[in-house]
Amino acid sequence: MSTLFAELYNRETVEGRFNANRLLELLKEDPVYRVAYKKMEIPKNTELNAAHILDEHIHFLEKGIVAYEYEDQIISFSSEGDILGMNDIFIPKANKYNVRTITKTIIYTFSKQDVLNNIFNMQEGWLFLYLNNQNYNILVAEKYMLMRQIGKTRLKNILMDIAEKYGYQDGDRIKIPGCFTRKDIANYANLSMNSMSQICKMLENEQFCVIKAKQFILLNKNTKNRKASTDNSSVKQRKD
């Protein structure tokens, strides 16, 4: 019963009425839950931890992409609509992650304590924190399973994931933004640069993708049957 209850709230309440965007709206504008904040523009390739931007604060990404790193290994990426600084509420180890911007990034930054005080007083606040932590655990589990795959399969799945989340349509192809460098993708896939180059040549020979000006371009025929990419709306339409 509790599982069904959580699933019901996950879909109908959290995603529909109480998601990260709704929380940001309340913190910025609601007379009861409003909290002082700063809007900041962070340059590309800035380590937020080194700049002390993550100290005792929670941040909402309005624009841009960041990479989570642990001991120089990229764990995941976040982009607009995501929250930085909330994972360590239940998982102390999470605050040891380094966060690096891979594009110019705009964030709203709030006092972590003020945000938590308000969340704890909201009807769906505790559930929101629980589901946020659950999503984090799922991400870690998925990364673990990904790392168990052979290098070629691992890289293909990573490229399809990035294309689905951040790519844009260009005719019959899907382009991955150039901010996802070969070095960062190799790091995320836990591949050496030499292995990365060898596998990329194989993927190009198999017509899975092409690489032009250091940008990965996936052919639609290789992604259209993938369950995670059946919703075409997940791929942005953009002109070069």
Side-chain angles (χ1 to χ4, degrees):
M1 181 64 71
S2 60
T3 301
L4 293 175
F5 180 77
E7 286 298 323
L8 175 66
Y9 267 81
N10 181 30
R11 295 175 184 174
E12 296 186 0
T13 302
V14 179
E15 292 183 353
R17 293 180 3 219
F18 198 84
N19 50 33
N21 290 332
R22 176 57 177 159
L23 177 59
L24 176 60
E25 180 184 341
L26 290 172
L27 295 173
K28 288 172 57 182
E29 302 174 4
D30 188 270
V32 175
Y33 299 113
R34 187 165 50 219
V35 173
Y37 68 90
K38 293 181 180 179
K39 185 176 182 179
M40 305 173 64
E41 183 175 299
I42 313 297
K44 178 181 178 180
N45 287 328
T46 299
E47 293 187 4
L48 301 188
N49 306 65
H52 303 293
I53 295 171
L54 296 183
D55 293 350
E56 303 301 323
H57 292 85
I58 283 176
H59 313 274
F60 292 77
L61 276 166
E62 181 186 69
K63 183 179 180 180
I65 304 172
V66 304
Y68 285 87
E69 300 172 327
Y70 183 72
E71 297 183 349
D72 297 324
Q73 175 74 45
I74 295 177
I75 305 300
S76 65
F77 299 97
S78 284
S79 60
E80 57 188 73
D82 291 333
I83 304 176
L84 308 178
M86 193 171 280
N87 292 335
D88 63 344
I89 294 171
F90 298 117
I91 308 174
K93 185 177 180 180
N95 63 17
K96 297 181 181 179
Y97 289 167
N98 183 55
V99 180
R100 173 173 56 89
T101 60
I102 65 172
T103 66
K104 182 174 71 174
T105 302
I106 298 175
I107 61 173
Y108 291 96
T109 178
F110 298 82
S111 161
K112 179 176 290 187
Q113 191 59 56
D114 289 343
V115 171
L116 292 180
N117 288 342
N118 279 346
I119 287 178
F120 293 151
N121 288 317
M122 295 176 184
Q123 183 177 359
E124 298 95 349
W126 279 98
L127 187 58
F128 178 81
L129 290 177
Y130 166 77
L131 291 173
N132 182 77
N133 180 66
Q134 187 181 56
N135 289 337
Y136 174 81
N137 289 334
I138 291 172
L139 184 148
V140 172
E142 289 177 344
K143 183 64 185 295
Y144 172 76
M145 295 302 296
L146 188 66
M147 291 301 103
R148 292 175 60 87
Q149 298 173 352
I150 61 173
K152 179 180 171 184
T153 302
R154 188 191 319 153
L155 182 57
K156 288 177 71 173
N157 283 327
I158 284 174
L159 290 174
M160 286 191 288
D161 279 338
I162 294 175
E164 177 197 346
K165 296 174 182 176
Y166 306 105
Y168 56 95
Q169 198 80 37
D170 180 30
D172 62 348
R173 306 176 300 174
I174 301 174
K175 289 186 174 181
I176 292 177
C179 61
F180 290 93
T181 65
R182 184 182 292 218
K183 180 180 178 181
D184 279 349
I185 292 176
N187 181 298
Y188 182 53
N190 197 27
L191 295 170
S192 68
M193 290 304 296
N194 184 51
S195 296
M196 178 75 170
S197 296
Q198 293 177 5
I199 295 174
C200 284
K201 289 179 181 178
M202 286 190 285
L203 296 183
E204 286 190 289
N205 290 337
E206 295 174 5
Q207 297 186 334
F208 171 82
C209 67
V210 295
I211 304 171
K212 291 185 178 179
K214 300 181 180 180
Q215 183 179 23
F216 287 88
I217 305 171
L218 274 61
L219 304 180
N220 261 354
K221 66 179 182 179
N222 295 302
T223 58
K224 64 182 179 180
N225 293 324
R226 189 167 183 257
K227 182 178 180 181
S229 60
T230 53
D231 182 3
N232 292 330
S233 63
S234 65
V235 178
K236 305 177 186 68
Q237 298 289 334
R238 193 177 87 182
K239 296 181 180 179
D240 281 337

